[in-house]
Amino acid sequence: MKVKALSRSTADYTRETKSDIQRLPRNVDPALHPLERAREYKRALNAAKVERMLAKPFLASLTGHIDGIYSMAKNPWDLDQVITGSGDGELRMWSLESQETAWRAPEAHRGIVRGVCSIPGGETDRFLSAGADKLVKVWSRSEGALANDGTPEAVATYSGKHAFSAVDHHRSRPLFATGSSQVEVWDVDRSEPIANMTWGADTINSVRMNQTEVNVLASSGTDRSVVLYDLRTSSALAKVVLKLSTNAIAWNPMEAFMFAVANEDHNVYTFDMRRMDHAVNVLRDHVSAVMDVDYSPTGQELVSGSYDRTVRLWDVARGHSRDIYHSKRMQRVFCVRYTQDNAYVLSGSDDSNLRLWRARASERMGAKSNRQRATIEYADKLKDRFKHVPEVRRVLRQRNVPTAIKRASNTKHEMLASRKRKEENERKSAKPGTKPRIPERQKPILGTTSK
């Protein structure tokens, strides 16, 4: 004989500790909660206001350089280490944990340090620096010798024929690439470059090796071109010419074929190297030349630094920045980097300061309990659900920007609107079909070439 009985588990109504709240049964039938949507909207609005109220992205300013910071590198195998190079030839290694200088070379180069990069692998603490004195030097905190005055000396030195403007190291092989009047590939065991590559540019602005598709190298030059090279054949693969020159290149760490370029026309463009006749996305919010760009470790976000003295953070799938960072004393930003834990952003400017920012302005650091984590996730879901409601959208988009940036942004908006009206009037007065509309992602591209 079967006997039906009601039963329940004690875990459904018993508290784990005395400090926990009492568990109460709740019927989730929508018919019993007619005001549920109104309550969630109010919670979303309050969560948006709390987010903006707690938004304090600036953490610290690391001082020590005398001249501006024009190059920066992070160590992918060490979260605490950041290397910077300044305009007076000084190199510094910083500890982000203690926010102090861990190592310095006062006269590493005669003149500006144009590029620094860590040697990947995690087996050594060596890193490279390239300067306008036509030298590339290898440094090590543990292996380097000390001069009579106590300053560190380079482990190795490579001499070039022209002033270097950029340097980057291969992910696994003992190779590094430099940019000067041409792209040069060096073997660490040889004193001369093993390959010279160029395609039209008089001067190379930036060189960046792909850390995923390791045989691909990208460079940008003063002829407004971005060129891709194959290290296996030491030859060019493709070339795209933009309207203005490119200052920096960054490869997506998660998608091997995607890269971003920081351009002089105030925009950041993302490209797919398999099809470079159009940009994948155009990121436009800066009001002056973009000097540097870097991907987050997740590959879903970008950070850019501009001549307009601001740092902007972007979602790679959207065309406008999700946040803008600035301070009263920060001057023109020449280099930016994401930390490897995706939690912080670093910026170096020509006021000689290295600044540390939160990647998410309102996020609080430290350990969180399960209840705190659940509360944060619930608030994020509510804000995402009601982000299109005018009041919530207005609160989430509100930013306090400097007056000069606001004025320049309004002027730029009027100029772009006037240009669009002019193009539309010309199209109306022209013969049908003679002036087709050009997509915004193709407008900056003057031409592409493949070999």
Side-chain angles (χ1 to χ4, degrees):
M1 183 178 64
K2 294 182 179 180
V3 178
K4 294 182 180 181
L6 295 176
S7 64
R8 59 176 178 171
S9 174
T10 55
D12 295 336
Y13 58 89
T14 305
R15 294 182 295 175
E16 295 181 0
T17 62
K18 294 182 178 180
S19 60
D20 286 349
I21 60 176
Q22 292 285 355
R23 294 191 177 188
L24 300 176
R26 182 173 182 268
N27 193 332
V28 296
D29 185 4
L32 302 178
H33 304 281
L35 300 178
E36 180 181 9
R37 185 171 180 84
R39 283 197 299 268
E40 287 189 343
Y41 164 72
K42 190 63 178 179
R43 290 172 182 170
L45 184 60
N46 291 338
K49 291 180 179 179
V50 170
E51 176 188 338
R52 298 313 310 154
M53 183 178 63
L54 298 178
K56 296 181 180 179
F58 180 73
L59 291 176
S61 178
L62 282 61
T63 60
H65 280 294
I66 300 176
D67 208 333
I69 299 175
Y70 299 102
S71 56
M72 185 191 306
K74 57 187 178 183
N75 190 341
W77 280 264
D78 189 352
L79 293 176
D80 187 45
Q81 185 184 111
V82 175
I83 306 161
T84 57
S86 68
D88 60 352
E90 184 185 33
L91 286 173
R92 282 180 181 260
M93 182 184 296
W94 304 86
S95 171
L96 297 182
E97 182 181 4
S98 62
Q99 298 180 4
E100 295 178 349
T101 301
W103 176 93
R104 65 186 289 260
E107 298 179 357
H109 290 274
R110 296 188 304 274
I112 185 173
V113 181
R114 301 301 302 271
V116 291
C117 72
S118 296
I119 297 180
E123 301 176 355
T124 177
D125 62 349
R126 292 187 177 188
F127 63 94
L128 299 170
S129 67
D133 55 356
K134 306 179 185 179
L135 296 178
V136 174
K137 296 184 179 182
V138 181
W139 304 87
S140 176
R141 186 179 174 184
S142 58
E143 303 174 25
L146 296 178
N148 295 331
D149 56 355
T151 58
E153 293 183 345
V155 177
T157 303
Y158 305 88
S159 178
K161 298 179 180 179
H162 302 89
F164 293 109
S165 58
V167 63
D168 198 18
H169 199 279
H170 194 276
R171 179 183 177 90
S172 55
R173 298 169 59 188
L175 301 176
F176 65 91
T178 59
S180 55
S181 61
Q182 57 187 351
V183 177
E184 298 174 332
V185 180
W186 303 70
D187 191 319
V188 295
D189 297 324
R190 300 187 180 184
S191 60
E192 297 291 332
I194 61 175
N196 297 324
M197 299 177 291
T198 184
W199 193 356
D202 295 332
T203 304
I204 304 299
N205 293 332
S206 63
V207 172
R208 189 60 64 92
M209 285 189 170
N210 193 330
Q211 299 298 310
T212 306
E213 196 70 30
V214 294
N215 293 313
V216 178
L217 166 69
S219 72
S220 63
T222 54
D223 62 344
R224 303 170 295 172
S225 65
V226 177
V227 185
L228 302 180
Y229 299 95
D230 190 342
L231 295 178
R232 294 167 294 188
T233 60
S234 299
S235 60
L237 294 174
K239 176 180 180 180
V240 57
V241 180
L242 305 176
K243 287 186 177 181
L244 292 179
S245 62
T246 295
N247 293 318
I249 301 174
W251 288 97
N252 191 321
M254 302 302 291
E255 300 179 34
F257 301 109
M258 304 295 294
F259 65 94
V261 298
N263 202 266
E264 285 281 341
D265 64 357
H266 312 176
N267 298 332
V268 177
Y269 300 99
T270 58
F271 286 94
D272 188 333
M273 62 176 287
R274 297 166 294 185
R275 188 175 179 182
M276 297 174 60
D277 57 346
H278 68 278
V280 176
N281 199 3
V282 182
L283 312 178
R284 51 179 68 190
D285 266 342
H286 282 296
V287 295
S288 190
V290 185
M291 306 306 297
D292 199 9
V293 65
D294 189 37
Y295 272 97
S296 67
T298 61
Q300 300 299 314
E301 293 181 333
L302 280 164
V303 60
S304 63
S306 172
Y307 210 72
D308 61 9
R309 308 176 186 181
T310 62
V311 175
R312 289 184 182 266
L313 290 91
W314 316 76
D315 186 339
V316 294
R318 300 181 180 273
H320 293 279
S321 59
R322 68 168 177 84
D323 217 333
I324 175 174
Y325 295 164
H326 59 86
S327 67
K328 290 183 178 180
R329 297 188 178 185
M330 185 167 69
Q331 298 301 311
R332 295 175 284 268
V333 182
F334 283 88
C335 48
V336 290
R337 289 294 181 271
Y338 253 102
T339 57
Q340 286 298 109
D341 57 357
N342 199 37
Y344 304 98
V345 168
L346 296 162
S347 68
S349 52
D350 62 355
D351 59 355
S352 74
N353 287 336
L354 175 68
R355 289 179 172 84
L356 181 65
W357 313 81
R358 289 189 178 95
R360 292 159 190 82
S362 59
E363 183 179 6
R364 301 277 75 83
M365 298 295 114
K368 302 179 181 66
S369 65
N370 292 335
R371 286 184 58 191
Q372 289 175 323
R373 194 177 298 110
T375 301
I376 294 173
E377 293 175 356
Y378 178 60
D380 292 340
K381 288 291 184 180
L382 288 177
K383 288 182 290 187
D384 184 67
R385 181 180 181 183
F386 291 93
K387 63 183 178 181
H388 301 294
V389 179
E391 291 188 13
V392 178
R393 183 177 65 224
R394 179 180 57 82
V395 173
L396 291 176
R397 294 178 60 182
Q398 190 273 336
R399 297 292 186 276
N400 294 323
V401 298
T403 304
I405 302 297
K406 185 65 175 178
R407 188 182 298 115
S409 179
N410 293 337
T411 303
K412 182 180 177 181
H413 180 75
E414 292 179 3
M415 292 172 60
L416 293 177
S418 176
R419 190 178 303 170
K420 288 183 179 180
R421 288 196 304 269
K422 180 180 178 180
E423 292 177 357
E424 191 63 28
N425 292 336
E426 291 177 351
R427 188 174 295 108
K428 289 179 180 178
S429 60
K431 186 178 179 180
T434 58
K435 195 173 180 61
R437 286 184 172 85
I438 302 177
E440 290 294 329
R441 298 180 181 182
Q442 293 181 2
K443 284 184 178 180
I445 299 175
L446 299 180
T448 57
T449 308
S450 301
K451 285 190 176 181

